[in-house]
Amino acid sequence: MLNQITTRNDFGIELSHVIAQHPAATVSARPAIQGISLAIKPGEHVAIIGPSGSGKTSCLLVIAAALKVKSGNVSLNHQSVWKLSTRRLQKLRGNLFYAPQTPPLPPRQRVITALLAAKLPRQSFFTSLMSLIYPRDIKEASEALGKFDLADKLWQRVDRLSGGERQRVGLARALLAPAKIWLIDEPLSALDPIRAGQAIESLIAHAEEHAVTLITSLHQVDVATSQFPRVIGLRDGRLVFDLPSSEVSKELLADLYKQHEHELDQNTPISQDSPPEPAPVKIIHCR
Amino acid sequence: MGRLFWSIAIIVLLVPALVATEFKPWILLEPDNLKVSSRFLGDFFPPATQPEFLLLVAKEAWRTIAIATAGTFLALLLAIPMTLISTRVLSISSLSGRMHPLPFAVRQMIRWILIIIRSVPELIWALVFVRVVGLGPAAGVLAIGLTYAGMLGKVYTEILESGEQHVAGNLMRNGSSRLQTFFYGVLPQNLTELTSYTVYRWECAIRASAVLGFVGAGGLGQQLDNSMRMFNGGEVATILIVFMLLVGLADLLSAWLRKILQ
């Protein structure tokens, strides 16, 4: 049994006829994902684009085994995810790294600790507790942070960082995670174009080096088509196209963003000086 | 409309409550009662300051602190594991949809245990333990430990569940264990609130140990009981002043802890 799993440990992704609804949504609401089938090979780099509310985040959550499907099948590493026991599913999740758009960083934590939290799935409880007292892997964390131009923030507290810095710390966590699949939701939403270019290049370079499957949802269509070999277009929870980026034409994009043209126009090439999107508002409760 | 309804409802509910508790504050001002209370209060001044009495009070005050501290510590030993088991924030199965039936049943059971141990007042526990372990501080420690475990467990769970759960959910979704998630995601979010509540409970334990002293569980309370029985107002005043100092101390401690954890 064990042997079988190790020989097949390639972490391919297969979705077939998936219908999924966000748990917070009302029962009668239209499902966020309406019958998506796709397969992603190990080590592929895929960008998911589409207008707001098209189901990009839900799609990532489905692949991340975080959003339970209503019907259809999700299989990761040749295992049907929702047929696994909670324990085995949790083990499988250790191979996935899902980074939400708002980086999940506790405000009073130091950056180093927030970064090292990404390594938890492969650490024993005792080791992780010791690491809380005296951080392990300081060098690795510092290098990961350096890729996002933040090496000097290693010992800062998270609530002293700006929105953009927090987002980059959230991305740097991916480099430390022992994951085979990265699912990164809107990695560039709080970054200015130069930082955005640097961030996406660091992610791609690391993913390539470590044979990690990289799937991101993106608002920046030009980044998607220029940096990713494969682009998936979503609209209203359905697959509109799934093509090599060279075949994604202007017409296809115009069609995908029909009635949402402002989202398409807004994201002119990275080198141009478009104003950065406002940082996501993170509510820090006073306690 | 709703507001009017609730205002009337509260008044309607309050009146029978006042009748039932024979709430008649004006009897305090009747001449006979005034004489008694003013004599008792008059005795308070001057507070007793004989060196040997002060030494005794200091010793008992130290014992009170010890009872409260040991009791709170015992409560923590019981409450922390129960909080970890019962909080929904650390449920892996509820990450995607509904919690599984077995963990749900375990959580409910822990909640009921917490309700049972805190619904018995510490005074009753103390009366029980005085019979089991004999007169003295040990009974007070056990009584405070049990009741406060129930309170701490309940409030800790509520603090964790009302806090931001984004980080904890993300850590577990990425494959971290429940305990790792607690230390890396939940604790940093809630530490100051948990600490200040714990210190407040410690302060309550100091006051509770006064009451427990009356049933023979040691500490300042027992001394207070003795002085009251002997109608020694001065000694009562001194002991009350020491109580105020202790509570003030707890307040300072809490403020200081919050500041360094901030």
Side-chain angles (χ1 to χ4, degrees), chain B residues 15-240:
Chain B
V15 170
L18 292 178
V19 172
T21 53
E22 298 177 17
F23 184 71
K24 295 174 195 145
W26 50 90
I27 57 171
L28 281 175
L29 300 173
E30 280 169 17
D32 280 359
N33 293 334
L34 262 183
K35 212 189 292 170
V36 173
S37 49
S38 62
R39 200 186 312 136
F40 184 59
L41 287 175
D43 273 358
F44 274 33
F45 192 81
T49 50
Q50 301 89 322
E52 60 269 41
F53 179 69
L54 283 186
L55 191 69
L56 180 69
V57 167
K59 225 162 124 203
E60 292 302 320
W62 175 243
R63 187 170 289 172
T64 296
I65 293 178
I67 293 174
T69 310
T72 312
F73 189 71
L74 179 65
L76 282 174
L77 279 187
L78 294 170
I80 291 173
M82 287 206 270
T83 305
L84 290 180
I85 297 171
S86 72
T87 180
R88 241 178 334 202
V89 180
L90 293 175
S91 159
I92 285 175
S93 62
S94 70
L95 277 180
S96 44
R98 286 179 64 149
M99 206 183 290
H100 287 182
L102 182 69
F104 180 76
V106 171
R107 284 195 171 83
Q108 287 304 312
M109 202 184 71
I110 297 282
R111 263 161 213 236
W112 278 104
I113 292 174
L114 289 173
I115 287 175
I116 290 167
I117 61 178
R118 75 168 181 274
S119 60
V120 179
E122 57 261 43
L123 188 62
I124 309 295
W125 282 125
L127 284 171
V128 172
F129 286 125
V130 161
R131 283 192 177 81
V132 179
V133 297
L135 288 176
V141 170
L142 289 171
I144 289 175
L146 265 190
T147 320
Y148 282 36
M151 297 180 194
L152 290 174
K154 174 198 158 71
V155 177
Y156 284 174
T157 310
E158 277 170 9
I159 288 174
L160 299 191
E161 283 175 9
S162 66
E164 177 74 60
Q165 296 175 22
H166 179 57
V167 178
N170 182 263
L171 283 178
M172 288 193 291
R173 255 176 213 146
N174 285 342
S176 307
S177 74
R178 290 155 37 94
L179 271 182
Q180 286 175 328
T181 304
F182 175 74
F183 281 102
Y184 277 80
V186 178
L187 203 55
Q189 301 263 32
N190 300 298
L191 189 59
T192 47
E193 206 166 323
L194 294 173
T195 311
S196 79
Y197 183 71
T198 311
V199 176
Y200 171 66
R201 269 291 143 211
W202 180 70
E203 179 194 316
C204 294
I206 289 177
R207 271 178 280 134
S209 72
V211 179
L212 299 185
F214 281 79
V215 298
L220 268 184
Q222 206 158 354
Q223 204 49 52
L224 190 63
D225 187 33
N226 292 343
S227 302
M228 294 256 265
R229 274 170 210 263
M230 293 189 286
F231 294 103
N232 192 334
E235 289 185 6
V236 172
T238 306
I239 295 171
L240 287 180

Side-chain angles (χ1 to χ4, degrees), chain A residues 86 90 98 128 157 287, chain B residues 100 172 174 180 184 193 262:
Chain A
T86 308
Q90 194 61 7
Y98 170 72
S128 52
R157 265 172 50 152
R287 291 217 178 95
Chain B
H100 287 182
M172 288 193 291
N174 285 342
Q180 286 175 328
Y184 277 80
E193 206 166 323
Q262 205 38 249

